[in-house]
Amino acid sequence: MIRLLNLVPLFVVSVLISFMFWKIKNIDETKELNSALINKKFPNLNLEKLEGIISLNDIVGEKFFIVNFFASWCVPCRVEHKALGSIGEKHIVIGVAYKDSESNIKNFISELGNPYNAIVLDNDGRAGIELGLYGVPETYFIGKDGKIKYRHVGPITKDKFDKIILLLKNSI
């Protein structure tokens, strides 16, 4: 009996190590952050438009669209910028400049190009607070019904975008 008790710590450590290896191996599948706003109406955000022909609040409940929070000071935002360009060729993408200056955003867009149908300013971060923004970049997928269907934290790639669209195809 005492011999068996001596093996309990070894068993516990083995289970913990196995769990840690599983977690590391599956990090991409487990790193998504859930949002309490999934399947809730996208909030009415009164944000100043920097440029573009679309008003954010005018398309809520009318069409499927994507809202991407970004900033000129955000290095991962630069990484995802090219992917947003190809996504914007087929879908409406609204950029929300988070806690950034107008001049910095204009420089950012002139340097990298403009993948957005419209850019709005969230100078004080209120829109980010309303949506439970974790950080930039962060992307929200809004269905035709005006409800938030998906939230992606971090830079989005074309492959990840395609997987999300496939996952949402019946709800957008």
Side-chain angles (χ1 to χ4, degrees):
M1 184 67 156
I2 294 176
R3 290 172 119 187
L4 286 177
L5 287 176
N6 288 337
L7 294 176
V8 170
L10 181 63
F11 175 75
V12 170
V13 168
S14 297
V15 169
L16 288 174
I17 289 172
S18 297
F19 175 75
M20 287 181 353
F21 277 115
W22 174 84
K23 188 76 168 164
I24 291 169
K25 184 178 177 204
N26 297 300
I27 192 74
D28 284 340
E29 287 81 24
T30 60
K31 70 178 183 181
E32 292 295 324
L33 294 173
N34 291 327
S35 172
L37 297 177
I38 299 297
N39 288 320
K40 301 263 177 17
K41 285 282 189 190
F42 188 77
N44 184 9
L45 304 175
N46 293 317
L47 300 172
E48 177 186 344
K49 189 178 353 175
L50 178 64
E51 60 182 58
I53 57 171
I54 294 175
S55 169
L56 181 61
N57 292 326
D58 289 346
I59 60 172
V60 175
E62 300 293 323
K63 301 175 182 183
F64 166 73
F65 66 100
I66 299 151
V67 175
N68 175 256
F69 280 79
F70 75 102
S72 65
W73 44 263
C74 165
V75 174
C77 296
R78 289 179 174 274
V79 172
E80 79 172 358
H81 205 79
K82 186 175 181 181
L84 286 172
S86 74
I87 292 166
E89 292 173 3
K90 296 180 183 175
H91 302 281
I92 297 171
V93 181
I94 307 295
V96 180
Y98 181 72
K99 293 188 177 181
D100 210 340
S101 73
E102 218 174 294
S103 62
N104 286 347
I105 291 299
K106 287 181 179 180
N107 290 337
F108 180 80
I109 293 300
S110 85
E111 178 187 341
L112 299 175
N114 188 354
Y116 303 108
N117 297 90
I119 299 173
V120 294
L121 302 172
D122 186 17
N123 293 327
D124 59 4
R126 287 227 177 262
I129 291 170
E130 283 191 50
L131 287 166
L133 188 73
Y134 183 74
V136 289
E138 196 161 300
T139 307
Y140 294 83
F141 295 75
I142 316 303
K144 291 178 191 175
D145 59 1
K147 294 181 179 178
I148 299 170
K149 300 299 180 181
Y150 193 86
R151 170 190 183 199
H152 177 77
V153 176
I156 196 158
T157 63
K158 182 72 170 98
D159 288 340
K160 182 65 177 176
F161 175 81
D162 291 340
K163 287 178 185 175
I164 294 168
I165 291 297
L166 189 61
L167 177 73
L168 297 177
K169 72 179 180 179
N170 294 327
S171 66
I172 56 174

